[in-house]
Amino acid sequence: MIESGKAANGPVADFGAIPNEKRGVTAIETAYTILRSRIIGGVYPPGSKLHLENLKSSLSVSGSTLREALTRLMADCLVVAEGQKGFTVAPMSLSDLEDLTSARITLETTTLIESIRLGNDTWEDNLVTCFHRLARAQERLEADPAGAFDIWEVRNKEFHDALVAAAPSNWLANFRHILFQNSERYRRLSGTQGPVPTEVHREHEEIFSAAMARDVDRAVAALTGHIRRAANVIRSNALIKE
């Protein structure tokens, strides 16, 4: 189990409630976004029970809206339902991390190879832009890992999405998105509780350079090592105890 985080399903000042005027899909989307942020950020720790009445009050939503948001989180594999026992935050473990890491490597490298082979000038231009934005976010992350992680995660996702943007398969893109979202909990743990991630920029730089050079073997090797980073940091620093 993860040692950090607080079990709380009541009001959380950082996120707030959903305004009463928001209805339907907008309310569901907002509830989903807030709950996901709380899960990813460890406000609701892995394995903790999600109390529906507390959440309805905290978010100011109806039961049907809350259940729809939780159903979406189940599809993301961030929440699990246990029969008549209700909903709980999906657990985190070293075995899950290893499985998730291996699956990510398979999908990320497959789509990277296709993207390098098919990418045009527009793909290159977007990749350059995303890399430079990520480099700036990385500088802030090294100075303040906890405070700068959220914007770094946005830039990190943009960069990884740009790498594989030319791959044509929508199915692979959908599965990759789910895996990437699930790995965010582990990346946050590694990036905020592990050693200052000073080597991450060099890894991104190597991936970027190889992709721009259309060097498939070098890019795959660099991306594989990069994806394994979080698992290596978490394991070596005992950030998860099973």
Side-chain angles (χ1 to χ4, degrees), residues 43-74:
V43 177
Y44 302 157
S48 62
K49 185 173 178 59
L50 296 171
H51 300 285
L52 299 188
E53 291 303 318
N54 288 347
L55 290 175
K56 284 165 59 179
S57 175
S58 169
L59 300 173
S60 298
V61 296
S62 66
S64 59
T65 293
L66 178 59
R67 287 184 178 278
E68 181 63 30
L70 290 170
T71 298
R72 289 190 56 185
L73 290 164
M74 288 175 61

PDB file of all heavy atoms in Angstrom, residues 43-74:
ATOM      1  N   VAL A  43      -5.422  12.630  -2.641  1.00  0.00           N
ATOM      2  CA  VAL A  43      -6.389  13.066  -1.632  1.00  0.00           C
ATOM      3  C   VAL A  43      -7.240  11.870  -1.213  1.00  0.00           C
ATOM      4  O   VAL A  43      -7.548  11.690  -0.029  1.00  0.00           O
ATOM      5  CB  VAL A  43      -7.264  14.209  -2.170  1.00  0.00           C
ATOM      6  CG1 VAL A  43      -8.326  14.612  -1.147  1.00  0.00           C
ATOM      7  CG2 VAL A  43      -6.398  15.413  -2.530  1.00  0.00           C
ATOM      8  N   TYR A  44      -7.629  11.057  -2.192  1.00  0.00           N
ATOM      9  CA  TYR A  44      -8.271   9.778  -1.914  1.00  0.00           C
ATOM     10  C   TYR A  44      -7.231   8.699  -2.201  1.00  0.00           C
ATOM     11  O   TYR A  44      -6.960   8.376  -3.360  1.00  0.00           O
ATOM     12  CB  TYR A  44      -9.503   9.560  -2.803  1.00  0.00           C
ATOM     13  CG  TYR A  44     -10.571  10.635  -2.675  1.00  0.00           C
ATOM     14  CD1 TYR A  44     -11.486  10.841  -3.701  1.00  0.00           C
ATOM     15  CD2 TYR A  44     -10.670  11.427  -1.531  1.00  0.00           C
ATOM     16  CE1 TYR A  44     -12.471  11.812  -3.593  1.00  0.00           C
ATOM     17  CE2 TYR A  44     -11.646  12.401  -1.426  1.00  0.00           C
ATOM     18  CZ  TYR A  44     -12.543  12.591  -2.457  1.00  0.00           C
ATOM     19  OH  TYR A  44     -13.514  13.551  -2.349  1.00  0.00           O
ATOM     20  N   PRO A  45      -6.621   8.131  -1.183  1.00  0.00           N
ATOM     21  CA  PRO A  45      -5.516   7.188  -1.380  1.00  0.00           C
ATOM     22  C   PRO A  45      -5.966   5.880  -2.039  1.00  0.00           C
ATOM     23  O   PRO A  45      -7.154   5.532  -2.006  1.00  0.00           O
ATOM     24  CB  PRO A  45      -5.016   6.930   0.050  1.00  0.00           C
ATOM     25  CG  PRO A  45      -5.560   8.053   0.877  1.00  0.00           C
ATOM     26  CD  PRO A  45      -6.864   8.407   0.241  1.00  0.00           C
ATOM     27  N   PRO A  46      -5.035   5.150  -2.622  1.00  0.00           N
ATOM     28  CA  PRO A  46      -5.344   3.843  -3.207  1.00  0.00           C
ATOM     29  C   PRO A  46      -6.011   2.936  -2.181  1.00  0.00           C
ATOM     30  O   PRO A  46      -5.580   2.844  -1.026  1.00  0.00           O
ATOM     31  CB  PRO A  46      -3.966   3.303  -3.608  1.00  0.00           C
ATOM     32  CG  PRO A  46      -3.131   4.527  -3.796  1.00  0.00           C
ATOM     33  CD  PRO A  46      -3.612   5.510  -2.787  1.00  0.00           C
ATOM     34  N   GLY A  47      -7.085   2.287  -2.602  1.00  0.00           N
ATOM     35  CA  GLY A  47      -7.784   1.355  -1.733  1.00  0.00           C
ATOM     36  C   GLY A  47      -8.806   1.976  -0.815  1.00  0.00           C
ATOM     37  O   GLY A  47      -9.536   1.259  -0.115  1.00  0.00           O
ATOM     38  N   SER A  48      -8.913   3.324  -0.790  1.00  0.00           N
ATOM     39  CA  SER A  48      -9.864   3.967   0.121  1.00  0.00           C
ATOM     40  C   SER A  48     -11.284   3.900  -0.433  1.00  0.00           C
ATOM     41  O   SER A  48     -11.500   3.934  -1.640  1.00  0.00           O
ATOM     42  CB  SER A  48      -9.463   5.423   0.372  1.00  0.00           C
ATOM     43  OG  SER A  48      -9.491   6.173  -0.829  1.00  0.00           O
ATOM     44  N   LYS A  49     -12.242   3.808   0.466  1.00  0.00           N
ATOM     45  CA  LYS A  49     -13.644   3.729   0.065  1.00  0.00           C
ATOM     46  C   LYS A  49     -14.164   5.112  -0.288  1.00  0.00           C
ATOM     47  O   LYS A  49     -13.850   6.099   0.379  1.00  0.00           O
ATOM     48  CB  LYS A  49     -14.481   3.129   1.191  1.00  0.00           C
ATOM     49  CG  LYS A  49     -15.943   2.895   0.813  1.00  0.00           C
ATOM     50  CD  LYS A  49     -16.677   2.158   1.903  1.00  0.00           C
ATOM     51  CE  LYS A  49     -18.145   1.950   1.556  1.00  0.00           C
ATOM     52  NZ  LYS A  49     -18.322   1.187   0.303  1.00  0.00           N
ATOM     53  N   LEU A  50     -14.964   5.192  -1.351  1.00  0.00           N
ATOM     54  CA  LEU A  50     -15.571   6.442  -1.779  1.00  0.00           C
ATOM     55  C   LEU A  50     -17.011   6.472  -1.255  1.00  0.00           C
ATOM     56  O   LEU A  50     -17.869   5.723  -1.733  1.00  0.00           O
ATOM     57  CB  LEU A  50     -15.537   6.558  -3.305  1.00  0.00           C
ATOM     58  CG  LEU A  50     -14.129   6.627  -3.917  1.00  0.00           C
ATOM     59  CD1 LEU A  50     -14.200   6.515  -5.428  1.00  0.00           C
ATOM     60  CD2 LEU A  50     -13.425   7.918  -3.506  1.00  0.00           C
ATOM     61  N   HIS A  51     -17.260   7.308  -0.269  1.00  0.00           N
ATOM     62  CA  HIS A  51     -18.577   7.376   0.372  1.00  0.00           C
ATOM     63  C   HIS A  51     -19.496   8.279  -0.452  1.00  0.00           C
ATOM     64  O   HIS A  51     -19.286   9.483  -0.540  1.00  0.00           O
ATOM     65  CB  HIS A  51     -18.429   7.898   1.800  1.00  0.00           C
ATOM     66  CG  HIS A  51     -17.556   7.042   2.664  1.00  0.00           C
ATOM     67  ND1 HIS A  51     -17.974   5.826   3.184  1.00  0.00           N
ATOM     68  CD2 HIS A  51     -16.265   7.211   3.076  1.00  0.00           C
ATOM     69  CE1 HIS A  51     -16.998   5.297   3.889  1.00  0.00           C
ATOM     70  NE2 HIS A  51     -15.952   6.117   3.834  1.00  0.00           N
ATOM     71  N   LEU A  52     -20.516   7.688  -1.025  1.00  0.00           N
ATOM     72  CA  LEU A  52     -21.360   8.405  -1.978  1.00  0.00           C
ATOM     73  C   LEU A  52     -22.062   9.615  -1.369  1.00  0.00           C
ATOM     74  O   LEU A  52     -22.130  10.681  -1.991  1.00  0.00           O
ATOM     75  CB  LEU A  52     -22.381   7.449  -2.593  1.00  0.00           C
ATOM     76  CG  LEU A  52     -21.811   6.259  -3.373  1.00  0.00           C
ATOM     77  CD1 LEU A  52     -22.926   5.509  -4.075  1.00  0.00           C
ATOM     78  CD2 LEU A  52     -20.764   6.723  -4.387  1.00  0.00           C
ATOM     79  N   GLU A  53     -22.592   9.469  -0.177  1.00  0.00           N
ATOM     80  CA  GLU A  53     -23.314  10.587   0.433  1.00  0.00           C
ATOM     81  C   GLU A  53     -22.379  11.766   0.691  1.00  0.00           C
ATOM     82  O   GLU A  53     -22.734  12.923   0.461  1.00  0.00           O
ATOM     83  CB  GLU A  53     -23.998  10.140   1.731  1.00  0.00           C
ATOM     84  CG  GLU A  53     -25.154   9.179   1.523  1.00  0.00           C
ATOM     85  CD  GLU A  53     -26.228   9.752   0.597  1.00  0.00           C
ATOM     86  OE1 GLU A  53     -26.554  10.953   0.747  1.00  0.00           O
ATOM     87  OE2 GLU A  53     -26.724   9.020  -0.271  1.00  0.00           O
ATOM     88  N   ASN A  54     -21.177  11.467   1.171  1.00  0.00           N
ATOM     89  CA  ASN A  54     -20.200  12.535   1.405  1.00  0.00           C
ATOM     90  C   ASN A  54     -19.812  13.219   0.100  1.00  0.00           C
ATOM     91  O   ASN A  54     -19.667  14.449   0.044  1.00  0.00           O
ATOM     92  CB  ASN A  54     -18.947  11.977   2.081  1.00  0.00           C
ATOM     93  CG  ASN A  54     -19.183  11.594   3.528  1.00  0.00           C
ATOM     94  OD1 ASN A  54     -20.198  11.951   4.108  1.00  0.00           O
ATOM     95  ND2 ASN A  54     -18.239  10.864   4.104  1.00  0.00           N
ATOM     96  N   LEU A  55     -19.652  12.425  -0.941  1.00  0.00           N
ATOM     97  CA  LEU A  55     -19.256  12.986  -2.226  1.00  0.00           C
ATOM     98  C   LEU A  55     -20.375  13.819  -2.846  1.00  0.00           C
ATOM     99  O   LEU A  55     -20.120  14.866  -3.436  1.00  0.00           O
ATOM    100  CB  LEU A  55     -18.836  11.868  -3.184  1.00  0.00           C
ATOM    101  CG  LEU A  55     -17.519  11.164  -2.855  1.00  0.00           C
ATOM    102  CD1 LEU A  55     -17.282  10.015  -3.811  1.00  0.00           C
ATOM    103  CD2 LEU A  55     -16.354  12.144  -2.896  1.00  0.00           C
ATOM    104  N   LYS A  56     -21.613  13.362  -2.717  1.00  0.00           N
ATOM    105  CA  LYS A  56     -22.745  14.143  -3.228  1.00  0.00           C
ATOM    106  C   LYS A  56     -22.796  15.512  -2.561  1.00  0.00           C
ATOM    107  O   LYS A  56     -23.021  16.528  -3.217  1.00  0.00           O
ATOM    108  CB  LYS A  56     -24.050  13.381  -2.988  1.00  0.00           C
ATOM    109  CG  LYS A  56     -24.292  12.228  -3.949  1.00  0.00           C
ATOM    110  CD  LYS A  56     -25.386  11.301  -3.442  1.00  0.00           C
ATOM    111  CE  LYS A  56     -26.714  12.022  -3.236  1.00  0.00           C
ATOM    112  NZ  LYS A  56     -27.767  11.098  -2.765  1.00  0.00           N
ATOM    113  N   SER A  57     -22.558  15.540  -1.253  1.00  0.00           N
ATOM    114  CA  SER A  57     -22.565  16.803  -0.525  1.00  0.00           C
ATOM    115  C   SER A  57     -21.361  17.663  -0.898  1.00  0.00           C
ATOM    116  O   SER A  57     -21.490  18.873  -1.127  1.00  0.00           O
ATOM    117  CB  SER A  57     -22.558  16.520   0.983  1.00  0.00           C
ATOM    118  OG  SER A  57     -22.454  17.725   1.717  1.00  0.00           O
ATOM    119  N   SER A  58     -20.205  17.043  -0.990  1.00  0.00           N
ATOM    120  CA  SER A  58     -18.977  17.775  -1.311  1.00  0.00           C
ATOM    121  C   SER A  58     -19.032  18.412  -2.690  1.00  0.00           C
ATOM    122  O   SER A  58     -18.608  19.562  -2.883  1.00  0.00           O
ATOM    123  CB  SER A  58     -17.781  16.813  -1.230  1.00  0.00           C
ATOM    124  OG  SER A  58     -16.619  17.393  -1.754  1.00  0.00           O
ATOM    125  N   LEU A  59     -19.583  17.683  -3.657  1.00  0.00           N
ATOM    126  CA  LEU A  59     -19.621  18.151  -5.041  1.00  0.00           C
ATOM    127  C   LEU A  59     -20.927  18.857  -5.399  1.00  0.00           C
ATOM    128  O   LEU A  59     -21.023  19.440  -6.490  1.00  0.00           O
ATOM    129  CB  LEU A  59     -19.410  16.972  -5.993  1.00  0.00           C
ATOM    130  CG  LEU A  59     -18.090  16.202  -5.846  1.00  0.00           C
ATOM    131  CD1 LEU A  59     -18.092  14.966  -6.733  1.00  0.00           C
ATOM    132  CD2 LEU A  59     -16.908  17.094  -6.178  1.00  0.00           C
ATOM    133  N   SER A  60     -21.917  18.760  -4.522  1.00  0.00           N
ATOM    134  CA  SER A  60     -23.238  19.354  -4.789  1.00  0.00           C
ATOM    135  C   SER A  60     -23.843  18.792  -6.073  1.00  0.00           C
ATOM    136  O   SER A  60     -24.276  19.545  -6.955  1.00  0.00           O
ATOM    137  CB  SER A  60     -23.151  20.884  -4.857  1.00  0.00           C
ATOM    138  OG  SER A  60     -22.716  21.424  -3.646  1.00  0.00           O
ATOM    139  N   VAL A  61     -23.859  17.468  -6.178  1.00  0.00           N
ATOM    140  CA  VAL A  61     -24.409  16.808  -7.364  1.00  0.00           C
ATOM    141  C   VAL A  61     -25.432  15.764  -6.941  1.00  0.00           C
ATOM    142  O   VAL A  61     -25.489  15.353  -5.786  1.00  0.00           O
ATOM    143  CB  VAL A  61     -23.305  16.128  -8.204  1.00  0.00           C
ATOM    144  CG1 VAL A  61     -22.343  17.159  -8.759  1.00  0.00           C
ATOM    145  CG2 VAL A  61     -22.566  15.081  -7.388  1.00  0.00           C
ATOM    146  N   SER A  62     -26.217  15.324  -7.909  1.00  0.00           N
ATOM    147  CA  SER A  62     -27.190  14.267  -7.670  1.00  0.00           C
ATOM    148  C   SER A  62     -26.495  12.909  -7.660  1.00  0.00           C
ATOM    149  O   SER A  62     -25.353  12.763  -8.101  1.00  0.00           O
ATOM    150  CB  SER A  62     -28.255  14.274  -8.764  1.00  0.00           C
ATOM    151  OG  SER A  62     -27.674  13.919 -10.017  1.00  0.00           O
ATOM    152  N   GLY A  63     -27.212  11.914  -7.154  1.00  0.00           N
ATOM    153  CA  GLY A  63     -26.668  10.571  -7.133  1.00  0.00           C
ATOM    154  C   GLY A  63     -26.389  10.032  -8.526  1.00  0.00           C
ATOM    155  O   GLY A  63     -25.386   9.364  -8.760  1.00  0.00           O
ATOM    156  N   SER A  64     -27.283  10.342  -9.491  1.00  0.00           N
ATOM    157  CA  SER A  64     -27.094   9.838 -10.853  1.00  0.00           C
ATOM    158  C   SER A  64     -25.870  10.483 -11.510  1.00  0.00           C
ATOM    159  O   SER A  64     -25.114   9.807 -12.221  1.00  0.00           O
ATOM    160  CB  SER A  64     -28.346  10.115 -11.695  1.00  0.00           C
ATOM    161  OG  SER A  64     -28.622  11.503 -11.746  1.00  0.00           O
ATOM    162  N   THR A  65     -25.663  11.774 -11.258  1.00  0.00           N
ATOM    163  CA  THR A  65     -24.479  12.441 -11.816  1.00  0.00           C
ATOM    164  C   THR A  65     -23.209  11.845 -11.227  1.00  0.00           C
ATOM    165  O   THR A  65     -22.239  11.572 -11.945  1.00  0.00           O
ATOM    166  CB  THR A  65     -24.526  13.952 -11.518  1.00  0.00           C
ATOM    167  OG1 THR A  65     -25.606  14.530 -12.233  1.00  0.00           O
ATOM    168  CG2 THR A  65     -23.227  14.634 -11.919  1.00  0.00           C
ATOM    169  N   LEU A  66     -23.208  11.632  -9.913  1.00  0.00           N
ATOM    170  CA  LEU A  66     -22.032  11.067  -9.249  1.00  0.00           C
ATOM    171  C   LEU A  66     -21.730   9.665  -9.765  1.00  0.00           C
ATOM    172  O   LEU A  66     -20.577   9.327 -10.043  1.00  0.00           O
ATOM    173  CB  LEU A  66     -22.262  11.042  -7.739  1.00  0.00           C
ATOM    174  CG  LEU A  66     -21.132  10.424  -6.905  1.00  0.00           C
ATOM    175  CD1 LEU A  66     -19.831  11.171  -7.114  1.00  0.00           C
ATOM    176  CD2 LEU A  66     -21.520  10.422  -5.422  1.00  0.00           C
ATOM    177  N   ARG A  67     -22.766   8.851  -9.922  1.00  0.00           N
ATOM    178  CA  ARG A  67     -22.542   7.484 -10.394  1.00  0.00           C
ATOM    179  C   ARG A  67     -22.019   7.467 -11.835  1.00  0.00           C
ATOM    180  O   ARG A  67     -21.200   6.623 -12.187  1.00  0.00           O
ATOM    181  CB  ARG A  67     -23.835   6.668 -10.272  1.00  0.00           C
ATOM    182  CG  ARG A  67     -24.177   6.324  -8.839  1.00  0.00           C
ATOM    183  CD  ARG A  67     -25.401   5.436  -8.715  1.00  0.00           C
ATOM    184  NE  ARG A  67     -25.662   5.090  -7.336  1.00  0.00           N
ATOM    185  CZ  ARG A  67     -25.059   4.114  -6.660  1.00  0.00           C
ATOM    186  NH1 ARG A  67     -24.164   3.360  -7.287  1.00  0.00           N
ATOM    187  NH2 ARG A  67     -25.353   3.875  -5.400  1.00  0.00           N
ATOM    188  N   GLU A  68     -22.484   8.376 -12.658  1.00  0.00           N
ATOM    189  CA  GLU A  68     -21.976   8.451 -14.026  1.00  0.00           C
ATOM    190  C   GLU A  68     -20.497   8.835 -14.025  1.00  0.00           C
ATOM    191  O   GLU A  68     -19.698   8.286 -14.785  1.00  0.00           O
ATOM    192  CB  GLU A  68     -22.785   9.457 -14.832  1.00  0.00           C
ATOM    193  CG  GLU A  68     -22.350   9.596 -16.283  1.00  0.00           C
ATOM    194  CD  GLU A  68     -22.515   8.318 -17.077  1.00  0.00           C
ATOM    195  OE1 GLU A  68     -23.429   7.523 -16.756  1.00  0.00           O
ATOM    196  OE2 GLU A  68     -21.720   8.095 -18.019  1.00  0.00           O
ATOM    197  N   ALA A  69     -20.134   9.784 -13.158  1.00  0.00           N
ATOM    198  CA  ALA A  69     -18.731  10.182 -13.058  1.00  0.00           C
ATOM    199  C   ALA A  69     -17.876   9.016 -12.566  1.00  0.00           C
ATOM    200  O   ALA A  69     -16.772   8.780 -13.085  1.00  0.00           O
ATOM    201  CB  ALA A  69     -18.588  11.370 -12.121  1.00  0.00           C
ATOM    202  N   LEU A  70     -18.386   8.273 -11.599  1.00  0.00           N
ATOM    203  CA  LEU A  70     -17.648   7.120 -11.081  1.00  0.00           C
ATOM    204  C   LEU A  70     -17.536   6.013 -12.125  1.00  0.00           C
ATOM    205  O   LEU A  70     -16.525   5.311 -12.198  1.00  0.00           O
ATOM    206  CB  LEU A  70     -18.332   6.594  -9.813  1.00  0.00           C
ATOM    207  CG  LEU A  70     -18.222   7.495  -8.583  1.00  0.00           C
ATOM    208  CD1 LEU A  70     -19.134   6.991  -7.470  1.00  0.00           C
ATOM    209  CD2 LEU A  70     -16.773   7.565  -8.095  1.00  0.00           C
ATOM    210  N   THR A  71     -18.566   5.866 -12.953  1.00  0.00           N
ATOM    211  CA  THR A  71     -18.511   4.880 -14.031  1.00  0.00           C
ATOM    212  C   THR A  71     -17.407   5.221 -15.018  1.00  0.00           C
ATOM    213  O   THR A  71     -16.685   4.342 -15.499  1.00  0.00           O
ATOM    214  CB  THR A  71     -19.867   4.811 -14.759  1.00  0.00           C
ATOM    215  OG1 THR A  71     -20.874   4.384 -13.836  1.00  0.00           O
ATOM    216  CG2 THR A  71     -19.808   3.836 -15.932  1.00  0.00           C
ATOM    217  N   ARG A  72     -17.243   6.504 -15.321  1.00  0.00           N
ATOM    218  CA  ARG A  72     -16.158   6.931 -16.200  1.00  0.00           C
ATOM    219  C   ARG A  72     -14.804   6.652 -15.567  1.00  0.00           C
ATOM    220  O   ARG A  72     -13.865   6.233 -16.252  1.00  0.00           O
ATOM    221  CB  ARG A  72     -16.292   8.421 -16.504  1.00  0.00           C
ATOM    222  CG  ARG A  72     -17.444   8.766 -17.417  1.00  0.00           C
ATOM    223  CD  ARG A  72     -17.373  10.219 -17.872  1.00  0.00           C
ATOM    224  NE  ARG A  72     -16.103  10.522 -18.517  1.00  0.00           N
ATOM    225  CZ  ARG A  72     -15.733  11.726 -18.927  1.00  0.00           C
ATOM    226  NH1 ARG A  72     -16.540  12.757 -18.725  1.00  0.00           N
ATOM    227  NH2 ARG A  72     -14.576  11.916 -19.497  1.00  0.00           N
ATOM    228  N   LEU A  73     -14.694   6.851 -14.271  1.00  0.00           N
ATOM    229  CA  LEU A  73     -13.438   6.572 -13.578  1.00  0.00           C
ATOM    230  C   LEU A  73     -13.148   5.079 -13.537  1.00  0.00           C
ATOM    231  O   LEU A  73     -11.990   4.660 -13.559  1.00  0.00           O
ATOM    232  CB  LEU A  73     -13.479   7.150 -12.162  1.00  0.00           C
ATOM    233  CG  LEU A  73     -13.440   8.683 -12.093  1.00  0.00           C
ATOM    234  CD1 LEU A  73     -13.866   9.168 -10.721  1.00  0.00           C
ATOM    235  CD2 LEU A  73     -12.048   9.200 -12.442  1.00  0.00           C
ATOM    236  N   MET A  74     -14.207   4.278 -13.507  1.00  0.00           N
ATOM    237  CA  MET A  74     -14.018   2.831 -13.601  1.00  0.00           C
ATOM    238  C   MET A  74     -13.466   2.449 -14.971  1.00  0.00           C
ATOM    239  O   MET A  74     -12.595   1.583 -15.080  1.00  0.00           O
ATOM    240  CB  MET A  74     -15.339   2.105 -13.332  1.00  0.00           C
ATOM    241  CG  MET A  74     -15.790   2.129 -11.881  1.00  0.00           C
ATOM    242  SD  MET A  74     -17.433   1.386 -11.668  1.00  0.00           S
ATOM    243  CE  MET A  74     -17.129  -0.286 -12.258  1.00  0.00           C
TER     244      MET A  74
END
